[in-house]
Amino acid sequence: MSAHTKELVDTSVVTESDELLVFVKGGSSITSFRPLFSHDSKYLFVIQGRSVTVFSSASGEVIHELQCRNKSVIGIAIHPKNPLQIISCSSDGTVIYWDYLDGVELRVYKIRFGCSAFCMPFQDGSISVVSSKQEGEYKLLRLWFGEKKVNKISFLLKNVLPDEKMIAFGKKGEFVAAVNKQTLYTLSIDENKLRSHLIGGRTFTCVTAHPSETCVATGDNSGRILLWYNFLDAKLPPKTVLHWHALPVSDCAFTSLGSHLYSVGSESVLVKWTIGHKQHREFLPRLGAPLSHVVCSSDNTLIAVHLADNSLQVITSHFIIRQVIQGLTHNHVRQKASGLLPAGLLYDPRSQSLVMNGKVGHLQFFSLQTNKQLYNLDIVGQNVVSAHRHQAIVYTEVENAALSDSGDWLATVQRRQDDWSMHEITLKFWSYDCDTQLYKLNTRVDLPHTQKVNRLLFRPSSETHGNTPLAVTCSDDEKFKTWELVDDTDIYRKNECWSCEACGYYKNYAAKDGAFSDDGSLLAVAFDHMLTLWIPENNALKLALSVPGSQEPITRVLFGRLSCAHLLLMSTNTKLVVWNLLTCCIEWCKEMNIVMMCMDPLTEHLAAATEENELQVFHASSSTPVYTHKRVSDSRVVCGIFLPSTGECTGTHKWQQSSQLYVLNEKQELLTLEKERAPGTTSTRGTIAANLPPTPFSLLLAQIAKTDSNHAGGQLQKQIGNPGLTVVKELMSAPAYTLPAVDSLCSTFLQSLLIAKDNSKTETQGEEEKEHGQVIVTESDSDSEMESISGSSPNQSAVTEARSVSLTAENLQEKFIYLEKVSREDYTWLNI
């Protein structure tokens, strides 16, 4: 499930008269801060950049997105006096009170200084924040709010760390504990008594407080958990040691009663400790990635844990995984030899999804339309084990990937390099199975090259070469190879496989990159600083080009599209050069330190990003950019891609009419440029009913609705709205202890289920209906309301003529006979 958001990047700067802003379309971290359960555990609040996303803990669906102004959110809390409200705090000091059920903003306060951490442990409505660094240190403060502004500020602690895991309040705000390096600071807030406690040789990593006792639990970098008692009075407080983790403890949390303690770490294991019985512990292993945060619901039934791959798992107290909220998967195991996202960004035309590196050794398919991950494709097939304390584990990573234009074929190159053994390089071709709708391995080639493969690509589909699949690999072993699909049928089966058809090289230069022309008739291969052109069918060298006076290696090669198909683009570390293949001369050249370049497959435009994160969009025939964005990301751009526009155009420029540009930065955030939208809260509350689990009451409603539909016949198709919806909403919205007895509500509820017929009766029938009464159905813009009316009046007649339906006396009598039978049923079970 997806954890999805759209937010503005903090450092985005637009040019003059520019209407485009940078939005995060996916990959926004959901694991930077602790999640939060609602008071009834039905909802889960997750911080995603500038917004707070409200999830249903039962279905994992998004209920609301609470957009929190201009800066990133650094903390959320449940209002102590009103559990139906949450409070968010942004890094610029903006505190917002929210009604999370309706997704509306209630009150806004502005603190005159920045904040680094936030919590609300006090019962009087005051909050506690860690101020931004002032005079070389962070300070823990307590604030009281008035009607419109902050009324009072008091100082609590100094020399604290700007991390919510390093600060804990206990016994409803009676004391506070904070850890910094090897020191535990404790403060009795009422007595204003401060103490500090040291541990030698270890560094604290987290702290949490017992909900009802004077006790705190601290985790350190050795894997120990210490339970501290009587720390407010004793200089040497007694401690209990809980030690299972082999790696540093990432986080720990008490249950609401304090009888158990949960702890997590990089072992990918959730550990449950029983307080008072340190040898009694339970484990939930193999969760898939290192764990960073853990929280427990107020009723002790659910636990939420954050994983390093940017996912969140909701787990029951019996260690059953209930929901997984997953957006764009982050690669938490980064190989030095491969770098971040070595396969780049690909487009799958079959699923209309984005393909990129996900978990180590996997490719993930991510849908931009639904902002959800479709599935992970395991390319390598390896087990991921816990990291060692002093030694990194080397895994096999997918370094290259390519998809054919039709999506029928997927090619991957995987490599493992540990600096002391031979390279393990494998080329795999995957065919798409229409039955399972998954890619299946077709051909495996071990050691296709002796050195690292720099580029893997398919030839574009074209009628000129009969749509014969062809793939090319370029490697540091100074060769490029072409691979062709051949017949591998024998007497046992009918099959096709891939085989190496040709090998090319130019002097002793490494093959850095390659590209096919728009029709697939030409292959361009970059050998160091030389650009060569080949005929793919016979592997014949046609042309070699080089920039005069330049020995810089070529990093990227692209062919122009459509009217610019005769242009060949190449980039180095310092310049962008465009060649005209008709004249074999340089068309234009521009000095740029390019880190990313991609071509729009539907137009003649290309996009390039520099080391300063400046984005420029060019028409391939001109060196003058048609669009410039001074700072598209606050971290280095890694790769980019143009994707076909699927809906309404989100930009205002001509180059955005057919395609949308997406770039990925080092934070693994997927960014795009869109026009500014009106501020507001994104609400998807309409999906709540569809995702709630069935209850006995809902099953009863479904059975009655089904019976009524059989009686109504074809007339039911003309009904607008749901009969009885208003009554059901009133029953569900009111607190249970305020409702009268169920038998007193039965008659009203059953009458609201009456279904009206077409108003095509005569005046005589209308007079007969007046003797028995009428049931008038009126529709409003938001809800369907059922009104029981006896007699008639001028206003009632107007409503009847416009929007109501009359029932004949005979049919009405049949209805009441049926409803009397239903009313005799035993409904005492509803009072349970």
Side-chain angles (χ1 to χ4, degrees):
M1 191 46 56
S2 150
H4 63 279
T5 185
K6 297 180 181 179
E7 61 182 29
L8 293 175
V9 175
D10 292 345
T11 55
S12 64
V13 179
V14 294
T15 57
E16 295 182 2
S17 68
D18 195 353
E19 300 178 2
L20 296 183
L21 296 176
V22 180
F23 284 83
V24 178
K25 299 290 287 187
S28 182
S29 176
I30 65 174
T31 60
S32 300
F33 302 93
R34 284 173 174 165
L36 178 68
F37 281 103
S38 62
H39 70 288
D40 54 4
S41 304
K42 291 183 178 180
Y43 305 102
L44 184 64
F45 310 103
V46 178
I47 297 176
Q48 289 184 275
R50 285 190 178 89
S51 66
V52 177
T53 306
V54 184
F55 291 94
S56 168
S57 58
S59 65
E61 292 293 329
V62 176
I63 307 302
H64 291 295
E65 279 187 40
L66 311 178
Q67 301 293 337
C68 302
R69 305 300 171 110
N70 297 324
K71 293 295 182 179
S72 299
V73 182
I74 51 93
I76 51 177
I78 297 289
H79 197 295
K81 296 182 179 180
N82 188 350
L84 298 180
Q85 295 180 10
I86 65 169
I87 304 166
S88 67
C89 180
S90 301
S91 58
D92 63 347
T94 302
V95 178
I96 305 177
Y97 286 67
W98 298 91
D99 182 341
Y100 63 82
L101 292 179
D102 295 327
V104 295
E105 187 180 281
L106 301 177
R107 296 190 303 277
V108 180
Y109 296 94
K110 187 67 175 69
I111 306 174
R112 61 177 178 266
F113 50 82
C115 301
S116 302
F118 167 82
C119 56
M120 194 173 187
F122 308 105
Q123 299 301 304
D124 60 356
S126 60
I127 67 170
S128 179
V129 299
V130 176
S131 65
S132 299
K133 199 168 187 179
Q134 300 175 358
E135 300 177 356
E137 64 181 5
Y138 296 93
K139 297 179 181 179
L140 181 63
L141 307 174
R142 182 178 180 181
L143 293 81
W144 286 264
F145 291 115
E147 290 295 330
K148 297 182 179 180
K149 62 180 182 178
V150 178
N151 284 345
K152 181 182 177 182
I153 300 178
S154 68
F155 170 79
L156 295 180
L157 284 175
K158 65 178 182 179
N159 198 26
V160 297
L161 295 178
D163 188 349
E164 60 181 350
K165 293 193 295 185
M166 302 298 182
I167 303 170
F169 287 84
K171 299 179 70 174
K172 298 182 179 180
E174 293 184 9
F175 69 88
V176 59
V179 293
N180 190 345
K181 297 181 179 178
Q182 299 178 357
T183 306
L184 168 65
Y185 300 96
T186 61
L187 173 68
S188 176
I189 296 178
D190 295 335
E191 301 176 1
N192 196 23
K193 182 168 61 176
L194 175 66
R195 285 192 178 276
S196 61
H197 308 281
L198 297 174
I199 59 170
R202 295 177 174 89
T203 302
F204 288 115
T205 57
C206 61
V207 62
T208 187
H210 196 282
S212 58
E213 299 178 4
T214 307
C215 170
V216 296
T218 60
D220 58 38
N221 60 349
S222 67
R224 294 191 318 170
I225 299 175
L226 298 180
L227 299 179
W228 301 71
Y229 300 93
N230 196 27
F231 48 80
L232 295 176
D233 300 319
K235 293 184 179 180
L236 296 175
K239 299 182 289 292
T240 300
V241 179
L242 308 176
H243 199 171
W244 177 87
H245 295 276
L247 299 173
V249 179
S250 299
D251 196 10
C252 53
F254 282 101
T255 58
S256 61
L257 298 178
S259 57
H260 294 89
L261 175 72
Y262 292 95
S263 62
V264 295
S266 297
E267 302 88 358
S268 305
V269 179
L270 175 62
V271 185
K272 181 179 181 181
W273 305 84
T274 301
I275 304 301
H277 304 277
K278 65 179 183 179
Q279 298 302 325
H280 183 269
R281 50 186 181 243
E282 301 176 44
F283 305 95
L284 180 61
R286 295 181 293 276
L287 290 178
L291 308 179
S292 58
H293 295 91
V294 58
V295 295
C296 185
S297 63
S298 58
D299 58 2
N300 299 326
T301 59
L302 297 176
I303 305 102
V305 294
H306 275 159
L307 277 67
D309 63 353
N310 199 34
S311 65
L312 186 150
Q313 294 188 10
V314 180
I315 304 169
T316 67
S317 57
H318 301 291
F319 281 0
I320 300 174
I321 298 177
R322 183 175 182 179
Q323 283 296 332
V324 177
I325 299 173
Q326 176 73 71
L328 196 63
T329 301
H330 288 182
N331 186 2
H332 64 280
V333 182
R334 301 187 181 182
Q335 305 293 304
K336 293 183 179 180
S338 302
L340 178 66
L341 299 171
L345 296 176
L346 305 172
Y347 177 66
D348 179 22
R350 286 186 173 272
S351 59
Q352 296 182 353
S353 59
L354 205 58
V355 184
M356 69 191 83
N357 294 94
K359 298 180 180 179
V360 58
H362 290 69
L363 289 179
Q364 62 172 321
F365 289 71
F366 182 79
S367 173
L368 292 171
Q369 287 75 27
T370 61
N371 207 5
K372 295 180 180 179
Q373 184 188 99
L374 301 182
Y375 61 92
N376 267 303
L377 181 61
D378 190 357
I379 303 296
V380 177
Q382 63 185 346
N383 290 325
V384 179
V385 298
S386 300
H388 293 285
R389 183 178 293 273
H390 303 294
Q391 183 179 3
I393 299 177
V394 180
Y395 293 99
T396 303
E397 183 59 287
V398 181
E399 292 193 342
N400 303 91
L403 277 161
S404 62
D405 289 347
S406 61
D408 293 335
W409 292 99
L410 168 67
T412 60
V413 175
Q414 62 192 49
R415 183 173 73 104
R416 182 181 184 274
Q417 181 183 2
D418 53 15
D419 296 330
W420 62 270
S421 62
M422 187 177 178
H423 284 196
E424 298 178 12
I425 304 176
T426 304
L427 171 64
K428 294 181 179 180
F429 290 94
W430 307 74
S431 62
Y432 186 80
D433 190 340
C434 295
D435 295 333
T436 61
Q437 301 206 355
L438 293 173
Y439 285 95
K440 291 187 176 180
L441 183 62
N442 176 270
T443 304
R444 173 188 173 121
V445 182
D446 291 323
L447 209 63
H449 293 272
T450 58
Q451 297 293 328
K452 178 183 178 182
V453 176
N454 296 315
R455 183 68 170 160
L456 170 64
L457 67 157
F458 280 100
R459 179 169 63 178
S461 300
S462 176
E463 297 179 358
T464 58
H465 48 74
N467 293 325
T468 302
L470 184 71
V472 174
T473 54
C474 304
S475 173
D476 280 341
D477 63 359
E478 304 172 358
K479 297 180 179 65
F480 76 89
K481 294 182 179 180
T482 59
W483 306 82
E484 193 173 29
L485 187 64
V486 297
D487 187 14
D488 188 37
T489 303
D490 55 22
I491 60 175
Y492 300 104
R493 78 205 191 295
K494 184 178 181 181
N495 189 39
E496 291 179 322
C497 70
W498 289 81
S499 175
C500 181
E501 291 298 314
C503 178
Y505 59 92
Y506 186 83
K507 298 183 178 181
N508 294 323
Y509 298 142
K512 293 296 185 181
D513 196 20
F516 277 102
S517 61
D518 202 7
D519 60 356
S521 60
L522 282 178
L523 172 64
V525 181
F527 287 94
D528 197 57
H529 65 282
M530 298 295 298
L531 186 59
T532 60
L533 291 175
W534 305 74
I535 303 298
E537 281 74 13
N538 54 16
N539 205 38
L541 176 63
K542 300 297 292 182
L543 189 64
L545 303 170
S546 66
V547 178
S550 176
Q551 298 293 321
E552 284 186 299
I554 299 173
T555 57
R556 194 76 170 96
V557 178
L558 292 171
F559 270 95
R561 302 289 181 182
L562 304 177
S563 63
C564 298
H566 62 288
L567 300 179
L568 182 59
L569 303 89
M570 53 166 274
S571 66
T572 66
N573 291 329
T574 61
K575 61 175 64 73
L576 171 62
V577 181
V578 178
W579 291 87
N580 190 328
L581 298 183
L582 300 180
T583 61
C584 297
C585 296
I586 295 178
E587 185 79 7
W588 57 271
C589 180
K590 188 178 181 65
E591 296 291 333
M592 295 178 65
N593 50 352
I594 296 177
V595 296
M596 183 279 295
M597 186 171 70
C598 59
M599 193 76 191
D600 187 353
L602 302 179
T603 66
E604 299 91 349
H605 295 96
L606 72 142
T610 65
E611 290 183 355
E612 296 78 18
N613 296 326
E614 180 182 8
L615 177 68
Q616 295 187 14
V617 179
F618 299 88
H619 192 280
S621 61
S622 174
S623 61
T624 303
V626 299
Y627 175 80
T628 300
H629 201 289
K630 292 298 182 182
R631 191 167 176 82
V632 72
S633 173
D634 57 355
S635 61
R636 185 175 181 269
V637 175
V638 177
C639 49
I641 189 175
F642 280 93
L643 296 183
S645 299
T646 56
E648 181 183 357
C649 181
T650 56
T652 58
H653 294 259
K654 183 178 179 181
W655 60 273
Q656 291 184 304
Q657 300 303 313
S658 302
S659 303
Q660 187 72 18
L661 174 64
Y662 296 89
V663 296
L664 202 68
N665 60 16
E666 284 188 335
K667 294 182 179 179
Q668 302 186 49
E669 295 174 330
L670 189 64
L671 311 176
T672 188
L673 294 167
E674 296 179 354
K675 58 186 177 182
E676 186 176 5
R677 302 176 182 179
T681 301
T682 303
S683 177
T684 56
R685 195 176 176 184
T687 62
I688 296 179
N691 294 288
L692 291 179
T695 61
F697 189 66
S698 65
L699 294 177
L700 175 64
L701 295 182
Q703 183 179 3
I704 295 177
K706 181 178 179 181
T707 306
D708 285 347
S709 66
N710 294 333
H711 285 270
Q715 298 295 333
L716 185 60
Q717 303 299 326
K718 300 179 182 180
Q719 175 85 15
I720 300 177
N722 298 322
L725 182 60
T726 302
V727 177
V728 174
K729 283 188 175 182
E730 291 176 356
L731 290 176
M732 295 296 100
S733 61
Y737 61 86
T738 63
L739 291 176
V742 177
D743 52 2
S744 64
L745 301 174
C746 183
S747 177
T748 303
F749 171 68
L750 293 178
Q751 288 181 6
S752 68
L753 296 177
L754 291 175
I755 300 174
K757 284 190 175 182
D758 187 18
N759 188 16
S760 59
K761 305 301 177 180
T762 61
E763 295 181 358
T764 304
Q765 292 174 333
E767 294 176 356
E768 295 177 356
E769 290 169 356
K770 290 181 181 180
E771 297 176 1
H772 297 84
Q774 291 181 335
V775 177
I776 300 178
V777 182
T778 62
E779 295 289 343
S780 65
D781 292 337
S782 59
D783 298 315
S784 301
E785 300 180 357
M786 307 291 289
E787 300 180 0
S788 180
I789 302 176
S790 61
S792 62
S793 66
N795 293 334
Q796 292 173 349
S797 301
V799 174
T800 304
E801 294 176 0
R803 309 186 62 185
S804 65
V805 182
S806 300
L807 293 175
T808 62
E810 182 179 356
N811 292 338
L812 187 62
Q813 185 177 3
E814 294 177 357
K815 288 286 184 180
F816 277 113
I817 293 175
Y818 167 73
L819 293 177
E820 287 178 358
K821 294 180 180 180
V822 176
S823 63
R824 297 191 188 100
E825 296 292 334
D826 185 12
Y827 297 102
T828 57
W829 58 273
L830 290 172
N831 293 322
I832 299 177

